């Protein structure tokens, strides 16, 4: 391929560009970049008009989360000739490039452009664990992303109004919303969501036969790491009566709330204090105000007291006119390991009926089955210390969700706690 910064052949670049009319490709990213390159070539004597081979080698991959065009981290670093040209652009030229990209995608509803950067498990500056999985490296390139707040600042309603929000629709119509500067979005979970919806691999406990005669509309689910509703929304779409969720990150809580509204589900947010206990509200008030339209009750704070909170709510709800929907599933969607909440998950499952916990773990691909034995053994140990009995606990399915890193698989272990009728 001709280097993009190759010397021009002596003709004025504007003459050359006139000879080759701009051809649209089927890729709007390539179109946006090549349109910029042509106009850039007209305005400078250093760069030739790109030929077909150059255009074909331009970056092609992108993601749309309306109204955001999200570019992969490598978009300006490969292939080398393009990387070299990009490196030579000044700030004004780069803005023109981003604008040209955005205008190519305008018919698809795009108004903003950003560069993706991986979620860091540990903040590289402070060395502190990034518990909220904030996308610390997302780089806004084009468009108004609102004020950029310090990661530690707890957002308020004004911050939510001023922030930039995006959304996507997955699995036949589930809308998810988030503020991309503050909340991660993991596309790789789409197969696990499909499984919860009954559209993928085996997923027990959401139909009358595996629920022992109970209807899916009579059960509830606890999601201890709710995020913006990744898995909670799939359970709701599948028809469970209610999801009780926990989430630390205020931006994710607001994303989940907005997503619920777009999907037509009521959502009640209950604030917790710094140790995860109720703040400014009593159990009685939560139960009094709850209606059947509140499909998610989302506790904003740490999940460490989740089992105690549910143990207080259950008897109050059983006394009220709403029928109590037993908790038959507990979702533990934290990577690299959800082990800190295995104990709570056992306490949260219904004592009379039992149920399933969905343990998300990053596992060495050579140790996936060994890990299964370890998890079951640990659940049995926790079960005996909780109940004084040996519980019947099995792992009936391992879902290999996605490769997390070379040699490491994000797996979900379906742990079934059987209770004799
Ligand atoms: C990796 S995200 C999981 C979201 C979704 N389940 C998924 O797999 O994509 C983990 C979420 O758990 C939240 N989180 C982490 N520790 C928590 C805790 N102790 N209590 C409540 N939420 C927590 C984070 O803020 C984050 O939104």
């Amino acid at each position: 391929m001709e280097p993009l910064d190759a010397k021009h052949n002596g003709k004025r670049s504007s003459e050359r560009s006139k000879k080759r009319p701009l051809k649209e490709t089927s890729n709007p990213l390539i179109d946006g970049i090549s349109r910029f390159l042509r106009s850039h070539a007209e305005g400078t004597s250093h760069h030739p008009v790109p030929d077909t081979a150059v255009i074909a080698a331009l970056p092609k991959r992108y993601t749309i989360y309306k109204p955001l065009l999200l570019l992969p981290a490598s978009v300006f670093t490969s292939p080398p000739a393009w990387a070299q040209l990009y490196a030579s652009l000044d700030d004004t030229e780069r803005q023109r490039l981003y604008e040209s990209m955005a205008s190519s995608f305008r018919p698809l509803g795009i108004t903003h452009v950003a560069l993706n950067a991986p979620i860091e498990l540990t903040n590289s500056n402070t060395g502190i664990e990034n518990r909220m999985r904030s996308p610390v490296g997302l780089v806004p390139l084009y468009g108004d992303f609102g004020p950029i707040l310090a990661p530690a600042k707890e957002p308020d309603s004004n911050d939510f109004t001023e922030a930039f929000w995006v959304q996507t629709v997955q699995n036949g119509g589930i809308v998810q919303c988030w503020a991309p500067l503050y909340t991660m979005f993991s596309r790789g979970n789409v197969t696990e969501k499909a499984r919860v919806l009954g559209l993928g691999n085996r997923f027990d406990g959401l139909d009358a036969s595996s629920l022992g005669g109970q209807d899916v509309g009579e059960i509830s689910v606890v999601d201890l790491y709710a995020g913006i509703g990744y898995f909670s929304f799939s359970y709701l779409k599948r028809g469970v009566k209610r999801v009780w969720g926990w989430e630390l990150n205020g931006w994710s809580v607001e994303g989940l709330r907005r997503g619920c509204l777009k999907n037509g589900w009521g959502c009640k947010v209950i604030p917790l204090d710094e140790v995860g206990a109720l703040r400014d509200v009593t159990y009685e008030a939560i139960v009094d105000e709850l209606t059947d339209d509140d499909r998610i009750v989302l506790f904003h704070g740490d999940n460490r007291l989740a089992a105690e909170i549910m143990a207080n709510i259950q008897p109050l709800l059983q006394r009220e006119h709403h029928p109590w929907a037993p908790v038959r599933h507990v979702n533990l969607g934290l990577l690299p390991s959800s082990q800190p909440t295995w104990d709570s998950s056992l306490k949260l499952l219904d004592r009379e009926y039992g149920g399933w916990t969905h343990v998300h773990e990053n596992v060495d691909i050579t140790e996936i089955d060994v890990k299964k034995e370890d998890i079951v053994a640990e659940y049995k140990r926790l079960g005996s210390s909780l109940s004084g009995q040996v519980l019947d606990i099995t792992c009936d399915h391992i879902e290999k969700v996605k490769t997390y890193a070379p040699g490491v698989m994000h797996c979900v272990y379906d742990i079934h706690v059987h209770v004799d009728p």
Side-chain angles (χ1 to χ4, degrees):
M1 145 181 162
E2 183 191 7
L4 286 171
D5 62 349
K7 274 195 178 159
H8 67 84
N9 60 12
K11 289 183 185 158
R12 283 169 54 93
S13 53
S14 56
E15 286 167 15
R16 283 180 286 121
S17 66
K18 271 181 210 148
K19 281 192 178 164
R20 290 201 199 109
L22 177 63
K23 263 203 210 142
E24 294 284 309
T25 70
S26 57
N27 183 308
L29 180 59
I30 293 188
D31 288 343
I33 300 175
S34 54
R35 189 175 316 112
F36 165 78
L37 289 176
R38 282 173 184 273
S39 75
H40 186 58
E42 282 168 15
T44 170
S45 55
H46 307 305
H47 299 294
V49 174
D51 65 20
T52 329
V54 169
I55 288 174
L58 288 171
K60 299 179 180 59
R61 288 190 308 117
Y62 59 86
T63 306
I64 288 180
Y65 295 132
K66 266 194 191 164
L68 173 69
L69 168 65
L70 190 59
L71 302 170
S74 63
V75 71
F76 302 126
T77 54
S78 131
W82 161 238
Q84 223 175 333
L85 186 143
Y86 179 78
S88 75
L89 299 176
D90 64 25
D91 286 350
T92 313
E93 290 164 338
R94 285 183 185 185
Q95 271 310 310
R96 279 183 34 237
L97 167 67
Y98 308 146
E99 202 177 317
S100 178
M101 289 171 165
S103 86
S104 257
F105 283 89
R106 206 147 287 143
L108 302 175
I110 295 304
T111 53
H112 290 65
V113 183
L115 191 63
N116 202 7
I119 307 291
E120 293 183 344
L121 290 182
T122 310
N123 183 309
S124 47
N125 295 325
T126 61
I128 295 169
E129 187 196 359
N130 178 15
R131 283 171 91 202
M132 302 212 203
R133 305 292 187 251
S134 305
V136 279
L138 188 99
V139 184
L141 298 178
Y142 178 80
D144 179 4
F145 283 72
I148 297 183
L149 307 176
K153 182 187 186 287
E154 189 56 47
D156 55 30
S157 57
N158 191 42
D159 298 327
F160 294 145
T161 308
E162 291 187 338
F164 172 59
W165 293 88
V166 300
Q167 68 175 51
T168 193
V169 182
Q170 286 184 318
N171 284 326
I174 298 180
V175 183
Q176 290 184 290
C177 297
W178 69 102
L181 280 181
Y182 305 104
T183 310
M184 61 171 278
F185 182 74
S186 167
R187 272 197 307 166
N189 284 329
V190 70
T191 52
E192 178 60 0
K193 295 174 193 170
R195 199 166 75 93
V196 176
L197 286 166
L199 306 172
N201 290 339
R202 173 178 179 178
F203 195 92
D204 295 344
L206 291 177
D207 55 79
S209 69
S210 56
L211 280 170
Q214 242 172 0
D215 186 79
V216 70
E218 297 167 338
I219 68 161
S220 56
V221 170
V222 171
D223 189 349
L224 286 178
Y225 302 95
I228 59 168
Y230 295 96
F231 301 115
S232 297
F233 287 1
S234 299
Y235 283 102
L236 289 182
K237 180 98 174 179
R238 188 77 193 265
V240 306
K241 180 177 169 65
R242 177 169 293 126
V243 172
W244 302 88
W246 267 260
E247 176 50 50
L248 267 179
N249 183 338
W251 287 101
S252 299
V253 169
E254 177 64 5
L256 188 148
R257 195 190 67 79
R258 289 177 180 227
C260 270
L261 297 184
K262 287 190 189 266
N263 288 297
W265 299 317
C267 172
K268 202 175 260 327
V269 176
I270 314 273
L272 300 179
D273 66 16
E274 50 296 330
V275 295
L278 295 190
R279 194 181 75 193
D280 307 333
V281 67
T282 61
Y283 288 110
E284 287 74 13
I286 294 174
V287 170
D288 282 352
E289 287 167 18
L290 203 59
T291 73
D292 281 347
D293 292 336
D294 296 319
R295 300 286 306 285
I296 296 200
V297 177
L298 182 62
F299 293 95
H300 176 190
D302 196 296
N303 58 27
R304 73 182 91 153
L305 296 179
E308 287 80 346
I309 289 177
M310 290 306 292
N312 282 305
I313 286 180
Q314 179 175 347
L316 289 178
L317 258 185
Q318 278 169 323
R319 262 192 267 146
E320 292 294 317
H321 44 279
H322 322 275
W324 164 250
V327 174
R328 303 296 308 274
H329 292 266
V330 181
N331 194 62
L332 305 175
L334 185 68
L335 297 174
S337 172
S338 58
Q339 185 151 11
T341 43
W342 294 358
D343 188 36
S344 309
S345 69
L346 263 184
K347 293 180 182 156
L348 284 159
L349 280 182
D350 192 85
R351 297 272 158 82
E352 193 181 335
Y353 297 98
W356 293 260
T357 73
H358 305 283
V359 172
H360 291 237
E361 294 287 303
N362 275 346
V363 193
D364 185 315
I365 48 171
T366 61
E367 289 172 5
I368 292 175
D369 287 327
V370 176
K371 187 76 179 178
K372 165 178 150 174
E373 303 309 324
D374 290 350
I375 296 173
V376 171
E378 181 59 8
Y379 261 94
K380 285 187 172 168
R381 193 191 66 73
L382 292 167
S384 345
S385 61
L386 194 67
S387 67
Q389 297 164 18
V390 179
L391 297 184
D392 181 5
I393 297 180
T394 55
C395 172
D396 301 338
H397 179 77
I398 305 172
E399 182 68 16
K400 294 171 187 151
V401 179
K402 60 179 188 288
T403 302
Y404 189 87
V408 179
M409 183 69 74
H410 170 182
C411 293
V412 179
Y413 295 85
D414 292 344
I415 303 300
H416 189 179
V417 180
H418 306 257
V419 173
D420 285 337

